[in-house]
Amino acid sequence: MVAACTPRTHEPLFRDTLREAGINQYFFDMANIREHCSWVHSKQKEEATEKAKDIVRMSVARTINLEPLKEFELPVNKAALVVGGGVAGMNAALGLAGQGFEVHLVEKAKDLGGMARRIQTTLEGLDVQDYLQDLIRRVYQHPLVHVYHEATITDVSGYVGSFVTTVQAEGQVTIIQHGAAILATGADEHRPTEYLYGVDERVWTQLELEERISRKDEGLARARSLVMIQCVGCRQEGRDYCARVCCSQAVKNALSLKALNPELDIYVLYRDMRTYGFKEDYYLKAADQGVRFVRFTPSAKPEVEAARDEEEKPVLRVTVPDPILGQRLAIDAHFLVLSAAAAPAAGSPDVARLFKVPVNPDGFFQEAHVKLRPVDFAADGVFMCGSSHYPKHLSEAVSQAYGAAGRAATLLSQDTVTASGSVCTVAESTCISCGACVAACSYGAIHWRKTPGGDKAEVNPVLCKGDGLCCAKCPTSAIVLRHYTNEEVLNQIDAALFEAPSGAGEQAHAKQEVGS
Amino acid sequence: MCTGRVDLAFVLRAFQKGATGVIIAGCWLGECHYVTEGNYDALNMMHLCKKLLEHAGVRPERLRLEWVGASEGIRFAEVMNDFANTLRELGPLGAAEGATPDHLASRLAALARLVPYIKLAKREKLALRLKSPEEYLQLYATDEVAALIRDVVSYYVEPELCQACMICLRRCPADAIAGGKNLIHVVDQDKCIKCGTCFDVCPPRFGAVRKISGAPVPPPLPEEARVVVRKGKGARRE
Ligand SMILES: Cc1cc2nc3c(=O)[nH]c(=O)nc-3n(C[C@H](O)[C@H](O)[C@H](O)COP(=O)(O)OP(=O)(O)OC[C@H]3O[C@@H](n4cnc5c(N)ncnc54)[C@H](O)[C@@H]3O)c2cc1C
Ligand code: SF4
Ligand code: SF4
């Protein structure tokens, strides 16, 4: 038993040491007296010491019941499945294929490319279409990458190392066996419902503007005034996140517009300009070139109406309180461009459900740990990259794709993968066949086994993820989560309350660890 | 550990040992890192547990379930301080209840022994997944829990009818049945978890297991009077 810091980072190390010494690695427990004690109570030294003792005592009480557990080896199929043929999915596929792994790339649309098909340049001036064409060509030419177009995944079964996925593509059903999966289903542009979008044809989204700029739209070349509104459909009730790419995209498009038509007056109505990192330079450049940035608050959003200017020409009249002038501005614009949020792809929830992986409340894929496992799902063998995780720029999507490919390659380069020994088992003689555990299991890991004493619950250790929900439901404690057994936990509770004589003691709370 | 792993028995044990309060903290509803969403199970269990605590004479505010994400350090501190204040007002276990801690501990111990029975009787409700946290508020009624405890069943083997066939003895998951080949079987009421298996498996032609609800269980037969003497077809007690 080691009393130190979080088991998150160091437990594997200590376990390895035990293994090397020939001791079963499950004979180990870590008492976290750093994050759980000294760091949070740095100003209450006396009490913190008492609490540290409690934590240590609890850990010791738990170790009394620890059992040696056996881990088992699962075979690893060397192929990977990548879902989504956008920039992220293609880079991940090439990353893996480049290391000699066979890759099945499944794309819902007719063509590869995803959102990048609609983006002409990056803020830094790189030609996205050139890059994309080259990327697509490399994907098609690589002998180890198999592309499925107009594809739908209809079924996923199996587990880390040996998944079986059914793909329906162009009228054909293919059953793919693979050891790892990378989900890169991307993001969509939210369709605004406000500011006359879809009602007045002079109102566009940034992507629509970008397409017009690239074909040097006549109207734009002649226009005198254009307004952009930021944060449309995000950072508000219902979609409460920053879509991250729109500020840079607005600055990029503003600069391209200035190049196309230097006479054009551009107003960017923003809440906060989030051109982060070195992208800030382009914001300054835009300001230097006369692009006007006007701040607004969510409680006083801009208003838009179709109107006529002094010359009786039709305009879009945008009014907004300017907090610096302390007055309401009225801008007559020829075009209005909305920075519509990037929203989770319509295809993401289905894929998440099939692979039994979670999405966060905003609908983006949820990583296992923001810092320690940023491209892993909590479910083993499934990884993520690109804007299906959260909106990000192309360069970031590419970096993350390399990361995901690297993580998948770590798994695929092994012949076997070790499954945790901390899974459930059923004491057959105690099981009364009530089925409570079967209903509680989200992974279908518990099935019935015929015995002379009737059907008894039995756990498939490969499917069991060790969450222990079944244990809390089992009336007879027949089903046991190894390494977190009732006895182990009850011992900890007893140890926590050891000193409290009949209910004294402020510190006498049995505490659950936060998170999981 | 998922909040859904927290067993009714864990919470009761903490109070039995004199805990001033118990807080269960875990991921927000809808933010499960897996697909299990065990926090809904925790919510369900917590509401049942509050009613049980109330029944045992313990103030239900002593049990709290809070959603705190892994990155919400400040919220965690606020929640803990707030809960600590609540507990300070309530005082140690028994103070706000107007009962001695020993009295409460014995009531809680009695409840803890019923956990298997409660889990079995409320199996369907405990498995329910409701949409919003508010819906769980009404899931368990005070009367319902009182009736559950009042009507608690016991299983008793009728000495006159028992044929000492060992079927129930073998099937009892709690090893609660004493007996042998020619020994009349006796249920150890302290060990029995009231699952009813013996009642179900006792051959109908014997019908020796009786289900008793709301009445005292007859005392067990003295050890020396348990031998069965078999004569001809029937069997009688000596
Ligand atoms: C409105 C908007 C503006 C942007 N502007 C810029 C910009 O100016 N500069 C910049 O650098 N970046 C910009 N980005 C970000 C850029 O688009 C992304 O970084 C990049 O396209 C992400 O690539 P991806 O592969 O993750 O996703 P995507 O390009 O969205 O590709 C996902 C692919 O997965 C497929 N798919 C989805 N569901 C399924 C399924 N169930 N089965 C199979 N296939 C599926 C889709 O058809 C698609 O081909 C913008 C994004 C948005 C939304
Ligand atoms: S919950 Fe327990 S008793 Fe019921 S079937 Fe599962 S293991 Fe058996
Ligand atoms: S009710 Fe269940 S636990 Fe009690 S004696 Fe019968 S079989 Fe055993």
Side-chain angles (χ1 to χ4, degrees), chain A residues 352 356-361 366-369 378-379 429-432 434-436 439-440 442-443 452-454 456 465 467-469 471-477 481 484-486 489-491 493-494 497 500 502-506 508-516, chain B residues 1-11 13-15 17-27 30-38 41 68-70 76 80 83-84 87-88 92-93 101-102 115-117 119-120 123 126-127 129 171-174 193 195 197:
Chain A
K356 299 197 168 74
V357 293
V359 293
N360 68 18
Q366 170 123 24
E367 71 286 272
H369 190 285
S429 60
T430 323
C431 173
I432 55 167
C434 69
S442 317
Y443 298 98
K456 300 284 177 166
K465 298 273 185 284
D467 59 56
L469 297 197
C471 307
K473 295 279 160 57
C474 177
T476 65
S477 305
L481 173 57
Y484 298 95
T485 64
N486 285 356
V489 178
L490 289 170
N491 273 359
I493 294 173
D494 291 354
L497 297 159
S502 28
E506 298 269 54
H509 323 140
K511 224 173 28 203
Q512 247 297 112
E513 209 175 293
V514 187
S516 49
Chain B
M1 208 164 97
C2 174
T3 46
R5 166 74 182 96
V6 181
D7 201 302
L8 205 51
F10 298 169
V11 182
R13 172 76 78 107
F15 283 114
K17 293 279 167 165
T20 314
V22 172
I23 188 160
I24 304 165
C27 307
E31 289 192 21
C32 181
H33 284 233
Y34 297 81
V35 286
T36 40
E37 313 244 351
D41 294 273
V68 189
F76 181 64
M80 292 311 283
F83 189 47
L87 294 182
R88 238 168 249 133
L93 189 63
D102 287 348
V115 165
Y117 165 74
K119 281 189 187 174
L120 204 55
R123 192 176 78 222
L126 281 167
R129 279 281 168 93
R171 293 287 295 276
C172 171
I193 58 166
C195 69
T197 303

Side-chain angles (χ1 to χ4, degrees), chain A residues 129-210:
Chain A
Q129 292 311 307
D130 254 12
Y131 169 76
L132 189 63
Q133 289 323 311
D134 178 58
L135 184 66
I136 294 175
R137 186 184 50 75
R138 284 193 289 139
V139 166
Y140 282 129
Q141 284 180 351
H142 204 294
L144 286 175
V145 183
H146 312 287
V147 183
Y148 302 78
H149 303 97
E150 295 180 79
T152 317
I153 296 178
T154 53
D155 187 51
V156 180
S157 64
Y159 36 83
V160 55
S162 35
F163 292 101
V164 182
T165 299
T166 312
V167 175
Q168 222 164 8
E170 295 165 288
Q172 228 177 334
V173 176
T174 317
I175 292 174
I176 300 171
Q177 314 234 354
H178 54 106
I182 296 178
L183 310 188
T185 45
D188 295 337
E189 187 185 44
H190 157 69
R191 238 190 101 76
T193 50
E194 56 271 75
Y195 303 124
L196 302 181
Y197 184 80
V199 177
D200 193 306
E201 56 187 23
R202 293 165 296 176
V203 184
W204 311 323
T205 64
Q206 287 287 358
L207 282 177
E208 288 162 354
L209 169 66
E210 191 154 345

Side-chain angles (χ1 to χ4, degrees), chain A residues 194-237:
Chain A
E194 56 271 75
Y195 303 124
L196 302 181
Y197 184 80
V199 177
D200 193 306
E201 56 187 23
R202 293 165 296 176
V203 184
W204 311 323
T205 64
Q206 287 287 358
L207 282 177
E208 288 162 354
L209 169 66
E210 191 154 345
E211 279 156 34
R212 282 167 197 263
I213 296 174
S214 78
R215 60 176 147 89
K216 307 210 165 26
D217 183 273
E218 278 284 300
L220 276 178
R222 273 187 280 113
R224 305 291 298 278
S225 157
L226 180 144
V227 170
M228 296 182 181
I229 301 178
Q230 299 302 108
C231 301
V232 176
C234 62
R235 298 181 67 203
Q236 63 187 31
E237 189 84 27

Side-chain angles (χ1 to χ4, degrees), chain A residues 197-392:
Chain A
Y197 184 80
V199 177
D200 193 306
E201 56 187 23
R202 293 165 296 176
V203 184
W204 311 323
T205 64
Q206 287 287 358
L207 282 177
E208 288 162 354
L209 169 66
E210 191 154 345
E211 279 156 34
R212 282 167 197 263
I213 296 174
S214 78
R215 60 176 147 89
K216 307 210 165 26
D217 183 273
E218 278 284 300
L220 276 178
R222 273 187 280 113
R224 305 291 298 278
S225 157
L226 180 144
V227 170
M228 296 182 181
I229 301 178
Q230 299 302 108
C231 301
V232 176
C234 62
R235 298 181 67 203
Q236 63 187 31
E237 189 84 27
R239 200 177 287 106
D240 203 4
Y241 58 84
C242 165
R244 201 173 148 95
V245 289
C246 357
C247 283
S248 303
Q249 198 189 16
V251 167
K252 176 184 79 177
N253 286 346
L255 287 169
S256 313
L257 281 170
K258 279 288 186 189
L260 180 71
N261 175 359
E263 300 301 307
L264 181 66
D265 284 333
I266 304 173
Y267 299 84
V268 180
L269 312 187
Y270 72 99
R271 282 173 57 187
D272 303 283
M273 276 317 280
R274 292 179 169 176
T275 40
Y276 54 87
F278 292 114
K279 294 178 168 52
E280 187 85 2
D281 293 343
Y282 296 91
Y283 163 69
L284 295 175
K285 188 170 163 193
D288 279 348
Q289 293 190 10
V291 175
R292 295 188 183 92
F293 292 90
V294 180
R295 187 170 207 157
F296 70 90
T297 56
S299 54
K301 284 188 178 173
E303 281 164 25
V304 181
E305 56 175 355
R308 293 196 173 264
D309 64 8
E310 306 94 71
E311 298 164 26
E312 283 301 306
K313 295 227 177 85
V315 289
L316 288 161
R317 182 157 301 146
V318 184
T319 56
V320 62
D322 182 327
I324 295 174
L325 296 179
Q327 272 180 339
R328 212 175 166 83
L329 274 185
I331 308 162
D332 284 349
H334 292 146
F335 298 108
L336 175 64
V337 180
L338 308 179
S339 285
S348 289
D350 285 343
V351 177
R353 192 177 37 77
L354 285 161
F355 280 94
K356 299 197 168 74
V357 293
V359 293
N360 68 18
D362 297 323
F364 292 102
F365 290 146
Q366 170 123 24
E367 71 286 272
H369 190 285
V370 197
K371 289 182 183 170
L372 302 177
R373 293 176 65 195
V375 297
D376 298 16
F377 280 102
D380 292 331
V382 192
F383 308 91
M384 71 187 82
C385 59
S387 46
S388 51
H389 178 207
Y390 58 78
K392 48 177 72 73

